[in-house]
Amino acid sequence: MIDTHCHLDGEEFKDDLDAVVARAKEAGVTAIGVPGIDLKSCDSVMALCQRYPDYCYPMLGLHPEEVKADWQEVLAQIKPHLLEGVAIGEVGLDFYWSREFEQEQLLAFEEQVKWSVELQLPLMIHCRKAQNEMVSILKRYKDDLPGGVFHCFTGNALEAQELLQFDRFVLGIGGVLTFKKSHLPEVLPAVVPLDRIVLETDAPYMAPVPMRGQRNEPAFVAYVLRRLAEAYGVSEEEVERVTDANVARVFGGK
Ligand SMILES: [Zn+2]
């Protein structure tokens, strides 16, 4: 199984990184996608991925919460790094905490969507309280986008269907699926075919039940897989096979 979204370059892992990676391998995690969030993380993500070659895969981009007044300069500095990664990310819109840089976020996201088209690199998209705005930007490039992941999907059936209109995109499903009050175990099987889902942890955040509240780590993606198998009424092996194939398709086998 593959953890498509894990901030393994974070401070939270600096003391026991090798043990975290060893536990991931032992749990059956065969690859980990590591997203950047800003210019500095182009270095930390690349260094991490070079330490675990053919296991950790970099994605580079400017996270919406890191978009400030200087976004154009930052993007200009990030762009030369893009081809070192397997995707552009994580990018998107986040109006949950603050709308201070709303206009800048919209412009920075659209610029990175254009990069995805230009370089034919998939997008790793973060979206919070901004689905309408995100969809309206993506629609402008719909036919030319190579694909990507709507990371940390937690929405309802209508929101899921709206995202699935983007043919080559999949939903990233993580720990929220396992939370007691989550509606995802009903929503997903009702409207999302398994071939439109990839697994993720978003570690160190969003630890799944029964690890909720702890530091999350890639090995815990197994709990997400198990819950997904229950929800779809299929074997864990089937979820693993299909979601692995989805990753290969979206990321072009990289
Ligand atoms: Zn993330």
Side-chain angles (χ1 to χ4, degrees):
M1 75 196 111
I2 296 164
D3 181 357
T4 57
H5 192 114
C6 175
H7 297 277
L8 214 47
D9 64 319
E11 279 288 294
E12 296 85 351
F13 295 111
K14 73 174 185 350
D15 295 330
D16 63 345
L17 195 51
D18 285 337
V20 168
V21 169
R23 282 198 293 274
K25 288 182 176 171
E26 203 172 314
V29 176
T30 55
I32 299 173
V34 186
I37 57 167
D38 58 10
L39 182 61
K40 213 174 101 203
S41 62
C42 288
D43 292 332
S44 59
V45 166
M46 288 311 298
L48 184 282
C49 292
Q50 276 154 15
R51 183 163 161 183
Y52 305 103
D54 301 322
Y55 192 68
C56 292
Y57 295 88
M59 304 180 258
L60 305 169
L62 183 60
H63 189 289
E65 286 178 76
E66 305 300 326
V67 172
K68 304 282 162 7
D70 64 349
W71 66 274
Q72 283 172 301
E73 294 151 51
V74 175
L75 284 189
Q77 289 176 278
I78 288 177
K79 196 175 181 192
H81 294 278
L82 290 182
L83 288 172
E84 296 163 22
V86 299
I88 298 172
E90 59 182 294
V91 303
L93 301 170
D94 192 322
F95 298 149
Y96 181 80
W97 295 110
S98 163
R99 285 187 178 257
E100 185 185 357
F101 293 105
E102 178 172 342
Q103 278 313 310
E104 290 84 351
Q105 281 196 36
L106 292 166
L107 292 167
F109 177 54
E110 182 157 5
E111 181 66 22
Q112 294 177 95
V113 170
K114 287 183 192 164
W115 289 353
S116 169
V117 171
E118 178 194 332
L119 302 169
Q120 288 294 295
L121 276 174
L123 288 163
M124 173 58 73
I125 299 180
H126 168 112
C127 178
R128 209 163 171 206
K129 289 268 179 280
Q131 183 158 323
N132 290 343
E133 293 89 339
M134 175 189 69
V135 165
S136 82
I137 289 174
L138 288 178
K139 270 186 175 166
R140 292 175 209 150
Y141 304 92
K142 194 174 175 189
D143 295 338
D144 301 317
L145 282 166
V149 178
F150 295 109
H151 136 71
C152 197
F153 177 77
T154 58
N156 60 33
L158 281 175
E159 288 165 331
Q161 284 167 323
E162 187 182 38
L163 298 181
L164 293 182
Q165 72 176 292
F166 298 99
D167 289 336
R168 291 167 293 279
F169 282 73
V170 293
L171 308 184
I173 301 298
V176 172
L177 172 74
T178 68
F179 296 176
K180 211 168 178 178
K181 286 186 180 153
S182 175
H183 51 268
L184 288 177
E186 288 78 47
V187 167
L188 296 178
V191 294
V192 184
L194 206 48
D195 69 2
R196 302 296 298 277
I197 287 179
V198 295
L199 306 173
E200 65 172 48
T201 58
D202 204 14
Y205 319 107
M206 302 297 232
V209 173
M211 302 300 177
R212 196 170 177 185
Q214 297 182 30
R215 179 190 69 172
N216 199 1
E217 61 175 69
F220 297 171
V221 79
Y223 296 108
V224 178
L225 181 141
R226 187 172 306 165
R227 189 72 188 89
L228 211 50
E230 280 172 19
Y232 279 80
V234 299
S235 68
E236 291 181 33
E237 291 72 22
E238 176 71 358
V239 174
E240 183 169 12
R241 187 185 65 76
V242 177
T243 55
D244 281 1
N246 297 344
V247 172
R249 190 178 70 240
V250 172
F251 292 92
K254 283 180 198 168

